[in-house]
Amino acid sequence: MDAIANIEYFCARGHVTRVSFSATALFDVPNSYPCQTCHEDAYRNRPRAGASAASQRQESSLTTRHLTEVEARRSSAERDAILEDALRRLREGEH
């Protein structure tokens, strides 16, 4: 059975959209997703008070760049092992 990861997206209006992804697809999770309430772009980073949508997009692109760099340094097998270890620790309550 494939593990499920629930990802939260936050729009500039303060709505939270929760989307479930297969844990094996976590490296391909989009940084933005349409808000289920207002249909504006929602991002994985919670917006700071007074943050504009443009600054929220910029922060989200930094997350994407980091993931791209990790993917460039790791083989598919190494990424899968890291993901499995992280999921195991989450299931066991480690932080």
Side-chain angles (χ1 to χ4, degrees):
M1 183 165 96
D2 202 16
I4 300 295
N6 295 309
I7 306 296
E8 291 184 332
Y9 291 88
F10 308 93
C11 79
R13 295 182 180 178
H15 305 129
V16 178
T17 297
R18 290 176 182 84
V19 184
S20 297
F21 292 94
S22 164
T24 58
L26 282 180
F27 287 103
D28 297 321
V29 171
N31 284 324
S32 66
Y33 200 86
C35 175
Q36 292 175 341
T37 304
C38 66
H39 308 289
E40 296 293 324
D41 286 338
Y43 298 92
R44 293 181 60 190
N45 299 325
R46 186 180 297 272
R48 294 182 316 277
S52 67
S55 67
Q56 194 173 359
R57 274 192 301 277
Q58 180 181 10
E59 288 177 15
S60 184
S61 72
L62 292 174
T63 302
T64 302
R65 188 173 63 208
H66 175 73
L67 253 177
T68 302
E69 291 172 3
V70 168
E71 288 176 337
R73 291 190 306 262
R74 306 278 186 187
S75 70
S76 172
E78 289 173 314
R79 290 192 311 261
D80 289 347
I82 291 169
L83 176 60
E84 285 302 318
D85 183 54
L87 289 171
R88 179 193 54 76
R89 288 185 289 153
L90 282 171
R91 288 184 198 115
E92 293 173 0
E94 295 178 34
H95 296 287

